[in-house]
Amino acid sequence: MKGITGRVPAMAAALLIATCSSSALAFTLLTPIATLRSTTTLAATPAEAIKTLDSSQANTVSKIASSIPDLAVKDDLSWFTADAVKIRGNAARLDGRDAPGPANVAWMSNLSIDSTMSSLTIFNGPLTDVPHLISRCAVSDDGSSLSFFLDFRPRAYGAYDLRDEDGNYPGPDTLGRKAFEYSGARNDFDTKFGTEEVVKFLEDSLSSFEGATQAPDSTAEMEKVTRGPLVMDVIMPLSDKNVEAIVATREKAANYWLGWALDNSHAHRPGAPINSQYVYDSKYKINAYSALLSVYVDMFGKEDGAKLAAADSGPLDEAYVGGGS
């Protein structure tokens, strides 16, 4: 599927076209949306779907917190039920946390909006090169479909936004020596995180969704810059089966992130690598906020979208790392 790249075979569940690139294959779903229909009887309402997603997400956060004991709730950056925050009239709650120092979690946002959206965002600190995690599911305005976005976001720039329609990246003739730097970053990500196992997991997840179609490509510059090579951005009918499949996908994605976060082999050497990661992450988080602002303004309007993007993005500096950097 276009927007999901990796060393993967063609999916049996949908008609796909594969395009070779220097490090990956890109897939585009060709089946027209009008021909796709859910065969699952719909029992879940938007409210029930979000409750199911939230319950699963709460279990995921609990597992992460038990594995990373330093992860602490940031009361001043969270929205509790008593705060009565609303987004487009629906109650919103945000459980914001971080884990300074060696635990290396810059920001975790466990966000829920009744009948509307369930989202988990995790930004890592500069002590490792573990990908950031974005896992978001939203219900359409008419309540008939689900938008699902999942991304393992690399910690070094790989020029993924410069990939052409054929899946090729610009070479030294266009980028000079930077082309080798970007190619190295892509290879490093593929070797450590975008493995055949992870790509197969994403492929299997896609095939488990009923009637899934690629979401329209974003035209926002920062969205293109911040997306990773394995991004999943799909729309599907709201059905019990799809809610169940999304829950399973989100839980497994979070398990991958947690396993990487606890693996000391992903730690940077002290000194320059950590400082370089800090500089990159600081700029990246600002770009990610700009990208999210565009997404949320489209979803929730200018005022609520801006409020939500600021809260969900967390602090944009990384002073939290203390002596770790």
Side-chain angles (χ1 to χ4, degrees):
M1 176 172 282
K2 186 176 181 182
I4 301 175
T5 62
R7 301 171 299 282
V8 296
M11 290 172 53
L15 180 60
L16 301 168
I17 184 169
T19 303
C20 292
S21 70
S22 60
S23 63
L25 293 178
F27 291 89
T28 303
L29 183 63
L30 298 180
T31 312
I33 190 169
T35 67
L36 298 170
R37 293 291 183 268
S38 171
T39 58
T40 301
T41 302
L42 175 61
T45 64
E48 291 168 340
I50 296 301
K51 284 181 180 179
T52 298
L53 291 163
D54 284 348
S55 177
S56 167
Q57 185 162 292
N59 290 334
T60 292
V61 170
S62 179
K63 179 179 179 179
I64 292 172
S66 66
S67 301
I68 306 176
D70 290 343
L71 199 62
V73 176
K74 305 293 289 184
D75 290 349
D76 57 330
L77 298 176
S78 297
W79 292 345
F80 300 103
T81 301
D83 295 326
V85 176
K86 291 191 175 182
I87 298 294
R88 287 183 60 177
N90 291 303
R93 294 164 298 282
L94 192 156
D95 174 6
R97 307 189 187 199
D98 70 4
N104 200 51
V105 178
W107 173 247
M108 183 172 74
S109 171
N110 171 13
L111 173 65
S112 171
I113 305 174
D114 286 352
S115 303
T116 307
M117 188 173 75
S118 176
S119 176
L120 179 65
T121 297
I122 306 177
F123 285 111
N124 304 284
L127 306 185
T128 72
D129 62 355
V130 172
H132 304 309
L133 174 65
I134 311 294
S135 175
R136 180 174 66 236
C137 185
V139 179
S140 62
D141 287 344
D142 65 4
S144 67
S145 63
L146 298 168
S147 297
F148 180 46
F149 185 92
L150 178 67
D151 200 7
F152 296 116
R153 299 196 153 177
R155 304 293 297 287
Y157 181 64
Y160 298 108
D161 56 313
L162 301 182
R163 185 174 53 219
D164 64 23
E165 293 182 356
D166 294 325
N168 299 313
Y169 294 91
D173 54 334
T174 302
L175 298 176
R177 294 186 61 83
K178 284 290 185 181
F180 299 107
E181 176 185 331
Y182 301 154
S183 176
R186 294 193 298 270
N187 289 336
D188 190 53
F189 179 85
D190 288 346
T191 300
K192 299 177 71 174
F193 308 110
T195 62
E196 291 183 2
E197 177 186 330
V198 172
V199 171
K200 180 65 162 56
F201 150 62
L202 294 170
E203 179 193 46
D204 290 345
S205 295
L206 280 170
S207 66
S208 72
F209 302 146
E210 276 190 330
T213 61
Q214 173 69 20
D217 288 339
S218 173
T219 59
E221 179 182 357
M222 288 299 100
E223 181 70 12
K224 295 178 181 178
V225 168
T226 54
R227 285 189 174 198
L230 301 179
V231 64
M232 182 187 296
D233 190 6
V234 291
I235 300 172
M236 66 194 79
L238 171 55
S239 69
D240 291 341
K241 181 177 179 180
N242 280 337
V243 171
E244 180 181 348
I246 291 172
V247 163
T249 299
R250 298 181 79 205
E251 288 179 351
K252 191 163 185 177
N255 283 339
Y256 273 119
W257 175 87
L258 182 58
W260 295 329
L262 297 176
D263 185 346
N264 290 331
S265 71
H266 299 310
H268 286 306
R269 298 188 311 276
I274 292 176
N275 294 334
S276 296
Q277 187 70 72
Y278 170 82
V279 171
Y280 179 82
D281 286 352
S282 296
K283 295 178 180 178
Y284 183 89
K285 287 194 71 179
I286 293 173
N287 290 340
Y289 161 72
S290 297
L292 189 64
L293 177 62
S294 177
V295 170
Y296 282 168
V297 166
D298 285 346
M299 291 175 67
F300 301 108
K302 185 175 181 179
E303 183 176 349
D304 280 353
K307 177 170 68 174
L308 189 60
D312 199 15
S313 296
L316 297 183
D317 64 79
E318 298 201 39
Y320 69 92
V321 297
S325 61

